[in-house]
Amino acid sequence: MAKRAKRKTSSSSSSPHSSSKIPKLETPQNQQEEVKEEEPVVAADLVTEEAVPEEVAVPEEVVPEEVVVPKEEAKDEMVEDSVFVEESLVSDDEARRNWPYRYLPRTKKLGDARHYETFNGVEYMQAKKHYTQALVDGRVHFKLGDDGYVQASENEDSYICRVIEMFEGVDDILYFRAQWFYRAKDTIIEACSNLIDNKRIFLSEVKDDNQLDCLIQKLKIVRVPLNAEVADKREKLGAGDYYYDMNYLVPYSTYQSLPPDNEGDALESDSTISSECAGNEASPDSKKSELRMLDLYSGCGAMSTGLCLGANMADVNLVTRWAVDLSQYACASLKLNHPETEVRNESAEDFLSLLKEWAVLCQTFNVVGGGDFQENQDAEYVEEDDEADDGAAPDDEEIFEVEKIIGICYGDPKKINKRVLYLKVQWKGYGPEEDTWEPMDTLDGCKLKIKEFVVNGYKSKLLPLPGDCDVICGGPPCQGISGFNRFRNKENPLKDEKNKQLVVYMDIVEYLKPRFCIMENVVDIVKFAKGYLGRYALGRLVANNYQARVGLMVAGSYGLPQFRMRMFMWGAAPSEKLPQYPLPTHKVVNRGVSPLEFESNAVVHDEGSKVVLERELYLEDAISDLPSVKNDEARDEMPYGGMPQTEFQKFIRLKKNEMPGCLALGQKSLSHSLYDHRPLKLNEDDYHRVCQIPKKKGANFRDLKGVKVNAKNRVEWDINVDRETLPSGKPLVPDYAMSFVDGRSLKPFGRLWWDETVPTVVTRAEPHNQAILHPTQDRVLTIRENARLQGFPDFYKLLGPIKERYIQVGNAVAVPVARALGYSLAMSCKGIADAVQPTFILPRNFPSMQPSAASPSADQASPSAHQESQ
Ligand SMILES: C[S@@+](CC[C@H](N)C(=O)[O-])C[C@H]1O[C@@H](n2cnc3c(N)ncnc32)[C@H](O)[C@@H]1O
């Protein structure tokens, strides 16, 4: 990638932005190469190094204030030379102090024809001398720290930079060092930059040397607080050209609050990101107080369960207070495992409407701000109530009296085509089976009852109001990007109703304004339609002043025999520390690659890192202790019938009160039996087929009678063998298996083997096009076996029909990944997350924290090895 802008008269100019929409950090190599290919520019009034006096005072103002050149005219006017202002020469001592990487010690001489020297692993053009001011085109006065436009290619917007150094190179060329700003369209937000105010730009860490005459126009760029509305930011900008309020860093596509005193740093050192950001420093007490989380699209709650476990392991009391999901079975499972959670079985869009209605109700009844209720209002409602009681009803109409309001929702629970706010009514003299949902506007006569409900609901935080929610987590389904969907809208994925939930998720974040949010999704969200939806999600967060970053994490890297790569997007309010990504703890059998444009988002250790990872896990590690069950196993609970055989099994079997980070930790023994260890019952035909698949590694439908594999590794019928049929008369080898992936697939009726990992646990349990048969039993993996591959603790029991339980498990965020992310979240909540590094290393033996006997590699990992990669 070209690193240097060229003179404005050139039509082939380039800059850090030009060769790729996603700018990469500079490397010494490209810096060097690019400078070499440039024609030298002869600078006026050059002073040789020997001629520089030891101490040269740098005058504050040596030329009159800038001659203002109208912007449009600037490009067309005659080009004059750009020169440094001689009076602004920096003394040699001071220059060496400020920019040591530009000068060899006086005792050393630069080799013949050498222009570069390495400093801290980076090659720098060596300088003869430094200046603090320049006259660009002989008339525009630039000072160190000024911002300006830099010439770009024709038809491209000029680049925007801050001048952080001015020097004459040992090659006699005049240079400035640019620190680049990015417009939103030059960051990963790209196609969704319309979400961002066009006066807003982002300060990058990308810096490089450019010839002085690439500068074409001075700009006024104003730093504004991140935590302000666009209108306020624009007001602060005044007559300036752009404002900035965030850093943009390429690794993990990070948008981050600016460090304090950033401007000073920019001038004085080569790193503008200080280790202290305007982070939220937690008081010692905040450790104990509860942090409330909303789990959107919660499924059975794996993601929030993991996040809470991880956060609590780091002493942050994170609790899932609210969860929302459309599936009644997923909601039932979540409630069973988390009695502390208000579980709402409704759509997220209805939930958002409800939140807004709830805020109005809380205001109406004056409960916000400490529940200070006005007597006169009460009186008014009493009167209304009395009126209602006394109101004459027609003789033949039975009068029902409201006993209590017991629920609230938005939508159409009575299926009467009326989408409004409903209240659930318990009727006087009737039992719970007679409770009904009534539109709120039909309950005018019982305002006191409504008020009682709102007051109690406000006190118990039945629903969150803006600011109530510390964390929002969730994985909005985006079925519009699924490869199974033939009608995907590539042109405008957001127009596809199936992707609407992404918008709803962001609307809820925007409305509730949590301190932190984390969104999970399939990797396709950053692949499909050039990653449009991923860019949109980031754009929404940034537009709402959230710091944000994106990481692609592999579940297996956190101790599972499953690959499963997923996208996790962090958001953090302006004053918070943006959470980091926990680096892998385990090796993993690689089953996929990161999408090209998001390569710098894969959460992996740096190349060359000396950290010692635990060995990869295999199917045997996860399930070898489970009792044998048959295809028609009907029990939802059974005894284990044996001891755990591996470290994984010991950990996953822990009782709820023994599990690190569990709310019940330390409480009385909460033992459990083996739940959900039953498979999807195969039909007779499939069962017969499965019984004929040999119990050996790699076995699948290709091992059935009548199937041959040709030289191109494709299946074909063996013409020497009659096609065998099943007792039902159906063929032993179904046509769909032969034609699947043009006969090249090994998956139909595939058996897993003990020493294997699975690519991804999915929601379906039919063996027709996936390898999910137990190694030695004639059945598919059970719900529990799948749950183990997803890292669910064994005490987590699921509810619903068998297929629904498989769906809950297949949909889940792998618990160990969520747990590791929860630990990271806790570091941010406590204000101790590192503001510089986007990743961090989890504590040794996380999450068991016990020295692990079965993982000798962990014991080989010396603490210093961990240090080394930090
Ligand atoms: C990928 S799953 C989430 C899994 C969950 N994060 C976990 O870790 O267990 C997506 C969930 O979204 C739910 N869902 C789909 N459309 C919804 C909607 N409009 N509103 C609320 N939930 C919805 C589905 O029922 C499903 O449980």
Side-chain angles (χ1 to χ4, degrees):
M1 182 185 63
K3 276 291 165 195
R4 192 177 47 160
K6 292 186 182 175
R7 196 169 170 71
K8 63 190 161 195
T9 46
S10 157
S11 60
S12 60
S13 57
S14 57
S15 95
H17 305 257
S18 61
S19 59
S20 159
K21 280 288 172 203
I22 296 167
K24 298 252 192 279
L25 290 169
E26 78 179 287
T27 61
Q29 287 76 10
N30 61 31
Q31 192 180 10
Q32 186 169 17
E33 278 164 20
E34 286 152 14
V35 173
K36 275 179 186 157
E37 77 196 21
E38 192 69 19
E39 286 294 311
V41 172
V42 181
D45 295 337
L46 289 180
V47 183
T48 59
E49 191 172 355
E50 295 76 49
V52 178
E54 277 290 285
E55 292 281 321
V56 174
V58 184
E60 273 292 293
E61 278 301 329
V62 288
V63 289
E65 256 311 309
E66 179 195 353
V67 183
V68 179
V69 182
K71 288 175 194 171
E72 290 314 312
E73 286 168 32
K75 286 188 182 178
D76 304 330
E77 291 205 355
M78 265 204 23
V79 175
E80 287 180 41
D81 277 340
S82 298
V83 291
F84 291 133
V85 174
E86 204 48 55
E87 289 85 340
S88 74
L89 179 70
V90 179
S91 75
D92 190 51
D93 280 350
E94 194 178 341
R96 286 170 181 275
R97 237 184 354 262
N98 285 348
W99 302 287
Y101 44 87
R102 298 282 182 203
Y103 298 91
L104 280 177
R106 290 196 179 93
T107 49
K108 277 197 181 171
K109 273 258 172 282
L110 200 61
D112 282 347
R114 275 187 65 84
H115 294 154
Y116 292 89
E117 272 302 321
T118 304
F119 188 87
N120 286 348
V122 181
E123 284 206 313
Y124 287 96
M125 159 67 69
Q126 295 301 286
K128 282 186 174 176
K129 47 199 173 177
H130 272 78
Y131 293 85
T132 61
Q133 300 183 24
L135 267 188
V136 169
D137 279 352
R139 63 205 163 122
V140 186
H141 178 213
F142 266 89
K143 284 185 286 186
L144 220 48
D146 280 348
D147 303 313
Y149 273 140
V150 173
Q151 180 72 52
S153 316
E154 253 167 62
N155 302 327
E156 264 198 80
D157 291 329
S158 301
Y159 307 129
I160 305 168
C161 80
R162 170 159 298 168
V163 177
I164 57 170
E165 218 184 312
M166 296 180 184
F167 66 95
E168 182 189 333
V170 290
D171 57 358
D172 295 338
I173 293 176
L174 307 191
Y175 292 100
F176 70 97
R177 188 158 179 81
Q179 180 170 6
W180 297 100
F181 286 99
Y182 291 87
R183 295 180 177 87
K185 71 181 169 71
D186 298 320
T187 70
I188 202 101
I189 291 172
E190 260 190 20
C192 294
S193 58
N194 59 318
L195 294 165
I196 310 293
D197 181 22
N198 63 11
K199 288 283 177 189
R200 186 179 187 186
I201 53 176
F202 301 87
L203 183 62
S204 82
E205 268 277 82
V206 178
K207 297 165 192 170
D208 54 24
D209 301 339
N210 299 265
Q211 288 185 17
L212 185 62
D213 54 4
C214 303
L215 275 171
I216 54 171
Q217 185 184 315
K218 207 159 136 176
L219 292 172
K220 185 168 179 223
I221 300 177
V222 179
R223 177 173 168 163
V224 299
L226 177 55
N227 196 5
E229 297 295 319
V230 170
D232 297 334
K233 291 180 186 176
R234 282 209 167 211
E235 202 180 312
K236 276 210 178 320
L237 174 64
D241 299 283
Y242 296 100
Y243 63 82
Y244 72 106
D245 51 12
M246 267 190 174
N247 276 121
Y248 175 66
L249 309 168
V250 173
Y252 302 94
S253 311
T254 300
Y255 297 81
Q256 200 167 15
S257 286
L258 295 161
D261 302 321
N262 175 272
E263 288 175 13
D265 290 349
L267 294 182
E268 281 164 24
S269 85
D270 208 42
S271 173
T272 54
I273 310 298
S274 84
S275 57
E276 280 303 315
C277 96
N280 178 47
E281 302 296 333
S283 68
D285 283 354
S286 68
K287 268 186 167 185
K288 293 278 171 276
S289 64
E290 180 184 290
L291 290 190
R292 305 182 194 113
M293 180 155 66
L294 162 64
D295 187 351
L296 286 173
Y297 313 95
S298 61
C300 65
M303 185 180 195
S304 49
T305 298
L307 286 169
C308 291
L309 288 174
N312 281 288
M313 284 179 72
D315 260 353
V316 167
N317 185 13
L318 181 66
V319 178
T320 310
R321 287 300 303 268
W322 311 275
V324 180
D325 198 282
L326 209 46
S327 155
Q328 68 177 102
Y329 303 112
C331 285
S333 297
L334 200 152
K335 189 72 193 171
L336 179 74
N337 293 283
H338 295 278
E340 72 281 6
T341 305
E342 165 71 20
V343 182
R344 303 203 55 98
N345 179 206
E346 63 201 355
S347 76
E349 48 272 48
D350 283 344
F351 177 70
L352 177 56
S353 301
L354 173 64
L355 293 182
K356 292 176 180 172
E357 297 279 358
W358 179 248
V360 173
L361 276 179
C362 288
Q363 261 165 14
T364 308
F365 292 105
N366 201 25
V367 294
V368 182
D372 180 16
F373 318 116
Q374 289 173 8
E375 284 305 318
N376 56 351
Q377 274 192 350
D378 291 355
E380 189 188 326
Y381 297 132
V382 170
E383 264 172 36
E384 274 186 38
D385 241 15
D386 289 343
E387 259 174 37
D389 284 347
D390 298 344
D395 285 347
D396 55 347
E397 233 182 67
E398 198 182 348
I399 297 179
F400 297 102
E401 199 180 327
V402 174
E403 171 78 36
K404 205 173 175 193
I405 306 293
I406 55 170
I408 186 164
C409 79
Y410 188 94
D412 186 16
K414 289 180 107 172
K415 310 264 179 287
I416 53 171
N417 274 337
K418 189 173 173 186
R419 299 191 69 75
V420 288
L421 188 63
Y422 283 78
L423 296 175
K424 194 166 194 179
V425 178
Q426 186 183 321
W427 299 101
K428 201 168 199 167
Y430 291 88
E433 65 287 353
E434 307 294 341
D435 296 346
T436 59
W437 286 103
E438 301 299 332
M440 159 103 176
D441 57 10
T442 63
L443 294 170
D444 257 5
C446 39
K447 284 227 170 103
L448 263 186
K449 305 281 184 192
I450 299 174
K451 179 183 169 185
E452 188 188 3
F453 174 74
V454 174
V455 169
N456 289 337
Y458 174 79
K459 281 189 192 151
S460 68
K461 295 269 174 244
L462 177 69
L463 290 164
L465 293 170
D468 274 349
C469 198
D470 296 291
V471 183
I472 293 182
C473 73
C478 295
Q479 285 130 352
I481 56 178
S482 159
F484 294 110
N485 177 355
R486 278 194 294 144
F487 306 104
R488 303 192 289 180
N489 186 341
K490 272 197 190 144
E491 300 317 311
N492 191 346
L494 278 180
K495 283 238 165 81
D496 188 337
E497 182 69 15
K498 294 205 180 74
N499 297 328
K500 178 182 148 195
Q501 293 310 316
L502 186 61
V503 181
V504 176
Y505 179 90
M506 289 300 163
D507 287 347
I508 295 176
V509 169
E510 185 174 341
Y511 179 73
L512 284 178
K513 299 199 180 352
R515 288 171 61 190
F516 299 96
C517 61
I518 178 158
M519 186 180 91
E520 175 257 2
N521 228 291
V522 290
V523 175
D524 267 353
I525 199 171
V526 293
K527 281 209 271 189
F528 176 66
K530 299 198 183 128
Y532 188 91
L533 294 178
R535 298 180 203 281
Y536 168 81
L538 266 175
R540 284 291 305 270
L541 287 178
V542 173
N544 282 302
N545 292 339
Y546 275 90
Q547 306 172 73
R549 59 167 49 122
V550 178
L552 304 177
M553 297 174 76
V554 165
S557 299
Y558 301 86
L560 290 176
Q562 183 195 186
F563 186 71
R564 197 182 192 90
M565 189 191 276
R566 289 288 182 269
M567 190 263 347
F568 291 89
M569 188 180 289
W570 280 119
S575 60
E576 304 292 348
K577 288 264 171 75
L578 179 59
Q580 303 166 271
Y581 290 105
L583 284 163
T585 52
H586 286 69
K587 292 180 189 161
V588 65
V589 177
N590 208 322
R591 302 274 200 150
V593 285
S594 305
L596 210 60
E597 288 198 49
F598 284 79
E599 251 176 355
S600 66
N601 297 69
V603 179
V604 289
H605 288 274
D606 286 343
E607 242 170 67
S609 152
K610 299 214 173 81
V611 77
V612 181
L613 294 173
E614 304 243 1
R615 72 163 176 85
E616 50 279 82
L617 294 189
Y618 299 109
L619 191 63
E620 183 170 28
D621 293 296
I623 67 166
S624 63
D625 61 324
L626 294 175
S628 207
V629 289
K630 296 236 154 36
N631 179 45
D632 58 0
E633 175 61 59
R635 286 171 298 169
D636 282 327
E637 286 188 41
M638 62 182 74
Y640 279 98
M643 297 300 286
Q645 294 161 10
T646 64
E647 286 301 308
F648 179 98
Q649 292 162 12
K650 268 189 220 159
F651 184 78
I652 211 101
R653 280 192 188 202
L654 287 178
K655 295 174 192 157
K656 202 167 181 180
N657 55 307
E658 295 166 345
M659 178 63 72
C662 211
L663 282 178
L665 190 65
Q667 287 179 13
K668 69 176 170 36
S669 179
L670 298 167
S671 55
H672 56 83
S673 51
L674 178 56
Y675 304 133
D676 303 312
H677 187 43
R678 54 183 293 195
L680 176 76
K681 186 179 171 191
L682 300 170
N683 62 34
E684 279 295 298
D685 291 339
D686 282 342
Y687 178 66
H688 280 298
R689 289 172 180 132
V690 166
C691 287
Q692 294 193 42
I693 304 287
K695 294 180 178 61
K696 63 173 192 187
K697 186 174 166 75
N700 56 51
F701 79 105
R702 293 176 170 212
D703 295 290
L704 296 177
K705 251 193 226 153
V707 181
K708 246 176 50 174
V709 180
N710 69 21
K712 289 185 178 158
N713 199 18
R714 284 168 76 159
V715 285
E716 54 189 41
W717 297 113
D718 186 343
I719 48 165
N720 301 319
V721 178
D722 288 339
R723 196 164 177 188
E724 191 154 319
T725 53
L726 299 168
S728 67
K730 298 246 177 71
L732 169 66
V733 183
D735 289 345
Y736 60 73
M738 295 296 282
S739 59
F740 188 59
V741 195
D742 269 347
R744 285 193 303 270
S745 177
L746 305 176
K747 288 184 179 166
F749 297 96
R751 260 191 209 287
L752 292 163
W753 203 246
W754 296 115
D755 62 355
E756 290 175 353
T757 67
V758 294
T760 300
V761 173
V762 296
T763 52
R764 290 161 298 107
E766 287 81 8
H768 302 154
N769 56 8
Q770 48 177 345
I772 52 165
L773 298 185
H774 188 277
T776 53
Q777 296 167 36
D778 290 322
R779 58 171 178 83
V780 294
L781 292 186
T782 64
I783 304 164
R784 178 53 50 194
E785 284 163 342
N786 269 6
R788 285 234 178 138
L789 298 182
Q790 287 273 58
F792 278 90
D794 274 4
F795 61 69
Y796 214 91
K797 181 171 164 46
L798 299 166
L799 294 178
I802 304 291
K803 280 192 177 181
E804 291 290 337
R805 285 187 254 169
Y806 273 105
I807 289 174
Q808 291 166 38
V809 172
N811 265 337
V813 171
V815 174
V817 176
R819 183 194 277 119
L821 287 164
Y823 192 88
S824 162
L825 177 64
M827 298 293 120
S828 289
C829 292
K830 289 159 84 170
I832 55 173
D834 191 310
V836 178
Q837 296 297 330
T839 55
F840 75 104
I841 291 184
L842 288 160
R844 206 161 170 196
N845 293 325
F846 185 89
S848 76
M849 306 295 207
Q850 307 285 325
S852 99
S855 51
S857 57
D859 296 334
Q860 287 156 14
S862 67
S864 60
H866 282 250
Q867 288 293 325
E868 272 174 83
S869 72
Q870 268 177 322

